[in-house]
Amino acid sequence: MNTRAPFTAEQAQRIARAWLIAPSSGVIELDADWTGASLPLLAPGDQAFAFADLRPAAPSLYADEAAYYVDDTGQVVFVLDPAEHSWVDFATMPVYVAGDFNGWELAVGQADWALERGEVNGRAVWLRRKPGATLLTEPPQQFKFITGEHRWLELPRDATNLVSDGKGHFNRALLRHRTGRNLFEFTTTEPALLNQAHSVVHVRDGREAPKTRVRLGKFFHELRSDLPLGALVQPDETVFRLFAPRAKHVRLFLCEDLAEMDAAFGYELDRREEEGGWRGVWEAQIDGNLHGWYYWYSLSGPHDVFGHFRPNHKVLDPYAQAAVGGEGPGIVLDPAWVGRADRSFATPQWQDLVIAEAHVRDLTAHAPIALDAEERLGFTGLTKWVRSPDFYLKQLGVNCVELQPVHEFDHQTREEYQWGYMPANCFAPASSYALEGAQASQVKELQELVAAFHEQGLAVVLDVVYNHVGVPAHLLFVDKLYYFELDAAGALENWSGCGNDLRCRSAMTRRLISDSLIHCIEVYGVDGFRFDLAELIGVDALREIEAAVKRVKPDVILIAEPWSFRGHIAAALRPTGYASWNDGYRNFLRDYVHGRGTADRLEYFLKGSPWHFAYWPAQTVNYTESHDDRTWLDLITENDGHNGFHPTQNDRQRTHLMAAILLASVGIPMLAAGQDFLRSKHGVNNTYLRGDLNALDYHRLARYPATHAYFADWIAFRRSERGRLLRHFSRPGEGFFQCFSRPGAPALVALYNADGSQGPARLMFAVNPHTDDVTVPIGEFGEWKWELLADHECFYHEGRHPPGEVAAPELFIPALGCSLWTCEA
């Protein structure tokens, strides 16, 4: 039976796409299957490009693009390449074909839709064969792949059979007129030059159809060099290397004085040959140690929609270790001057972390110590504040600070405030945070800052941005096609919401990320990283980055913001060594303190969001506020306009409930700096340019000392020996927790170590988010001799008599109240 659809002559004449799979071979994809007796007349569209051979491709080759093809018996063969989904353990996790034809998610558990091992195009794959008669219909049916845990597998962005729902979600289409008979392979007489645009045409009746550009395929984005890159200072020469695989010419400009930039001398870089040929690296060797000199590049290359080469643009070296500003120039640094960090600080184990997210200037702007105006702008002022005996975060008791981006970002003036999420370079510290940025003082100042945090017992996690770049987008001028995600027309994709998406699938992009992270560890001594919009980096890239960084620092802290405007990858990150910001936890707790939420859901989050979100306890970063959007207080306040600047009594009590739940939850707790003194941004939602609203108002420590003390006491308890039952390296047994609630009520009582598996000590945590009192039956545990440690107002330290006791068999929990109890059984 022929299941292939009829097609129009016009469709069959159109070239849908053409790409190189190697410098001397490629594939042409027609818009519809070709059924002619002879080959279509496909020809090069330019003189620099000549075919040596043209032949029909095996239909199975279409599966590389479309995830299906139709075999010679008329069966649709669904094909999944496991190499593109490394986070899935295919040996233990079933994967299913799901679509219009089987109820989508209802396919999970249906053995006849489960993928099986197979081989296609010489590769081990997972596949499923099905009769084509019921699948190849009009309108086209859509499909995806889904795991046995109901997780949809990500689709490649450049597949030709993607169908959008208009909301950022994509499916694949089964197209009757494209079954694999629409592909033709070709070889060329000479290897194609990467820095030239090539095209093909389909000729009919002596007339050429419009030219179709031949794109560079996976081999191009897998192009990689292991040569050291950047400005490499040696005793008697300085070597400059830049990876720019499609450039036609690369020039280096140097000057010793910034005032001489207009008269800077230019040097032509040469292609640096390596074993196996040229791998995209350009090199210049200049006599002398050029430490402290300024430099930049200019590049020329193909002029088309996939190139953004501007020979007059000053390009900042992606590997510059310091820069005068976001636009450059870079500063040549001698490694002997840069030095290496003291890495003797013991990074806390993940389950012991209590993180505070903070911004350099927010911490320093109103710090109550003597600082001049220049120091309050950056690293040196913060270093002095950190070393003060009254340093706020030290008094709060956290043992880790997560600094918002500190690398060079786009800014017009040094005084201009922004969060730093528009990066210009991922090696160079922000010059606007330095006292003498043009002299690279930012390098020494950041080293001192990290050392100061370590002296105070705080680990340092840097917020890093690798999903997009700021303005000017220097990598755009190095190679738009290699470094950025583009649509078929060459336009920049924008799932970051910042104008572009970095192509982290490219080999040298991954190397750039890994090299910069390793640089931060070796030069600055940082303890870990939080990856902004990590969904756009991708699970496979993140796994490769993890392996590279852990070779240098095995205990490095790795945290992902596991989403973007396109999707969410927390589930896919579970088999990796990354923790993830838990947005579900954040959203739930905002509702729960208002009585909206269930006890069962709170139990799930108290236990560390097991399995569905986190495989291991410290894989969930629990938080209720970050730099984004409104503050916690402004979101939950009873005041109009989301303005919690003057909080109500209920606002305070709900904040105490949040603090207690957050610090009693398994996982890594993260606070936003200022939460403990009821920070408000007057209801403003997006404050990324509002230094006036973001700067910490330390006067609120005096206004709300009891709330600050409540947070500090909870942190101290969690980090203490008595709080070890809240901190877990591995999942406890099923009997560790025992929870009690009343049907239909959100109040919950949770017992930790109920089964005694971790010694005789037990903890009992009770919480009631309702505005009415409640009692919760706790059965035989009510007979135990419990000691009250804390309630919703304070901790009861030695010498302070707690007011209540457990009245068996029920526990009383007041309105908007909570309590923490301990006993030895």
Side-chain angles (χ1 to χ4, degrees), residues 609-671:
S609 305
W611 310 121
H612 295 293
F613 188 91
Y615 277 171
W616 32 281
Q619 198 167 30
T620 170
V621 177
N622 302 322
Y623 75 109
T624 59
E625 178 188 329
S626 68
H627 60 278
D628 281 324
D629 306 320
R630 294 186 174 96
T631 65
W632 158 268
L633 185 63
D634 289 345
L635 279 165
I636 63 99
T637 184
E638 296 175 324
N639 296 334
D640 293 335
H642 292 288
N643 189 347
F645 188 77
H646 297 292
T648 68
Q649 179 59 30
N650 283 350
D651 292 344
R652 289 186 66 249
Q653 285 197 230
R654 289 185 171 109
T655 298
H656 284 211
L657 289 190
M658 175 273 292
I661 295 169
L662 179 67
L663 291 159
S665 297
V666 171
I668 301 174
M670 185 187 81
L671 301 168

Side-chain angles (χ1 to χ4, degrees), residues 130-199:
K130 284 289 182 179
T134 58
L135 294 175
L136 298 173
T137 61
E138 290 294 338
Q141 300 194 73
Q142 298 178 25
F143 74 97
K144 264 185 176 178
F145 297 107
I146 188 172
T147 72
E149 291 184 331
H150 297 264
R151 304 292 178 181
W152 297 102
L153 300 192
E154 181 182 354
L155 301 179
R157 307 181 190 192
D158 50 3
T160 55
N161 64 328
L162 291 191
V163 180
S164 172
D165 65 358
K167 300 178 181 178
H169 304 114
F170 292 88
N171 300 318
R172 292 185 182 270
L174 285 167
L175 302 172
R176 296 179 64 189
H177 58 279
R178 297 185 194 171
T179 69
R181 281 81 181 165
N182 56 327
L183 299 185
F184 295 85
E185 293 181 291
F186 65 84
T187 56
T188 61
T189 56
E190 298 289 340
L193 297 176
L194 300 182
N195 60 14
Q196 289 189 7
H198 302 289
S199 62

Side-chain angles (χ1 to χ4, degrees), residues 523-763:
V523 172
Y524 299 102
V526 303
D527 300 278
F529 307 94
R530 177 264 188 190
F531 294 81
D532 182 67
L533 296 183
E535 191 274 336
L536 292 175
I537 300 173
V539 178
D540 291 338
L542 288 167
R543 289 175 72 104
E544 182 178 314
I545 293 161
E546 175 191 353
V549 175
K550 284 186 172 178
R551 284 193 287 269
V552 177
K553 182 176 173 59
D555 62 348
V556 63
I557 300 165
L558 300 174
I559 299 172
E561 182 184 36
W563 59 79
S564 72
F565 287 108
R566 186 182 62 183
H568 205 295
I569 59 169
L573 288 174
R574 291 174 300 171
T576 73
Y578 289 84
S580 290
W581 275 20
N582 194 333
D583 52 330
Y585 185 103
R586 174 198 67 199
N587 297 340
F588 170 80
L589 214 51
R590 291 171 179 175
D591 288 335
Y592 182 78
V593 297
H594 283 281
R596 302 186 296 269
T598 66
D600 287 348
R601 193 68 173 154
L602 177 61
E603 178 182 342
Y604 170 75
F605 287 121
L606 278 177
K607 291 179 177 179
S609 305
W611 310 121
H612 295 293
F613 188 91
Y615 277 171
W616 32 281
Q619 198 167 30
T620 170
V621 177
N622 302 322
Y623 75 109
T624 59
E625 178 188 329
S626 68
H627 60 278
D628 281 324
D629 306 320
R630 294 186 174 96
T631 65
W632 158 268
L633 185 63
D634 289 345
L635 279 165
I636 63 99
T637 184
E638 296 175 324
N639 296 334
D640 293 335
H642 292 288
N643 189 347
F645 188 77
H646 297 292
T648 68
Q649 179 59 30
N650 283 350
D651 292 344
R652 289 186 66 249
Q653 285 197 230
R654 289 185 171 109
T655 298
H656 284 211
L657 289 190
M658 175 273 292
I661 295 169
L662 179 67
L663 291 159
S665 297
V666 171
I668 301 174
M670 185 187 81
L671 301 168
Q675 269 191 287
D676 56 295
F677 52 69
L678 299 171
R679 182 190 192 195
S680 169
K681 298 181 187 177
H682 297 272
V684 178
N685 188 54
N686 191 350
T687 60
Y688 79 105
L689 297 177
R690 295 292 302 275
D692 58 325
L693 291 179
N694 293 330
L696 296 181
D697 179 4
Y698 294 111
H699 290 306
R700 294 178 77 86
L701 284 166
R703 293 192 191 105
Y704 306 106
T707 297
H708 168 72
Y710 190 72
F711 275 76
D713 284 345
W714 259 107
I715 292 169
F717 175 78
R718 182 183 176 92
R719 294 184 58 198
S720 72
E721 174 58 25
R722 299 180 84 179
R724 66 180 177 82
L725 295 179
L726 307 176
R727 312 189 310 268
H728 298 270
F729 175 78
S730 57
R731 290 265 173 233
E734 287 298 318
F736 179 87
F737 284 100
Q738 192 156 342
C739 295
F740 304 89
S741 61
R742 282 193 177 278
L748 180 74
V749 177
L751 270 68
Y752 301 72
N753 197 31
D755 60 0
S757 59
Q758 298 194 20
R762 268 75 165 179
L763 292 175

Side-chain angles (χ1 to χ4, degrees), residues 282-357:
W282 298 77
E283 179 182 275
Q285 298 174 338
I286 310 298
D287 290 339
N289 181 325
L290 300 181
H291 173 74
W293 282 55
Y294 305 99
Y295 74 108
W296 64 94
Y297 295 110
S298 74
L299 294 87
S300 63
H303 293 284
D304 57 28
V305 294
F306 297 95
H308 201 79
F309 294 96
R310 304 289 188 272
N312 294 326
H313 181 80
K314 295 181 175 67
V315 176
L316 174 63
D317 182 3
Y319 275 74
Q321 294 187 30
V324 175
E327 297 186 1
I331 307 174
V332 179
L333 297 181
D334 188 328
W337 178 88
V338 172
R340 287 293 183 263
D342 177 0
R343 294 172 57 189
S344 61
F345 177 78
T347 302
Q349 293 190 39
W350 290 27
Q351 70 272 15
D352 296 330
L353 290 169
V354 180
I355 300 174
E357 185 201 36

